Amino acid sequence: ACEPTLAHCVMAELNRQNLLHGWVQQNHDGLPQKAGYRQEEINEIHGSWFDPSSPVVKYSGCLRGDLFEDMETQAQTSDLVLVLGTSLTGLNADQCVTETARRSTQGSALGSVIISPQKTAQDGKAALRIFAKADDVMLALAKEFGFGPRAIGRSRGVRRSADLFPKENRVLVPYDKNGVRSQTVKTY
């Protein structure tokens, strides 16, 4: 099974420190939660492999109304948007970047920060554009904030994935240990 990257871990630490308040997640992989990001502050707009109440939405499908409204609210109210790991190719979630960038030109938001080694269609609208890997930038940010090894997933005794949460707060899902959907095996 996949494990969170250093960037996931640093963003989870920013969330624990109440510096990051929302995450619009376009992937289905559950990596923010595995890194320790608070579930109630994640909008899994395209569904989740690990949440039976939020099935994955096919590209031709419809987004859940409540998640779409929450994403629109985030787009309309966020002061600063960090963009990592997306090419911003015209999906609905792009509005979080474009709307915050638009409001920044009016002085009502700080804008968007895009971190990616590849160009995106929204680069010119960003308040800050960093052409680099997310892990490299997040490591530098963690050092700047003085975060310890826990924030980057490297402290002694760091537990990963399902071990981060008490058993009573976990749900069995119909996937094997390799993340393959199963009719017979269930894992936490």
Side-chain angles (χ1 to χ4, degrees), residues 66-85:
D66 60 327
L67 296 178
F68 187 79
E69 286 179 26
D70 176 70
M71 181 183 61
E72 284 186 319
T73 298
Q74 289 191 50
Q76 294 164 6
T77 61
S78 293
D79 188 42
L80 180 68
V81 172
L82 300 177
V83 182
L84 293 88

Side-chain angles (χ1 to χ4, degrees), residues 7 11 17 35 46 70-71 75 83 90 92 94 98 100 103 105 119 129-130 137 174 178:
M11 291 177 66
Q17 303 268 342
H46 296 142
D70 176 70
M71 181 183 61
V83 182
N92 277 305
D94 291 6
T98 57
T100 305
R103 287 185 298 105
T105 64
K119 292 180 180 179
R129 180 57 169 97
I130 302 173
V137 175
N178 298 312

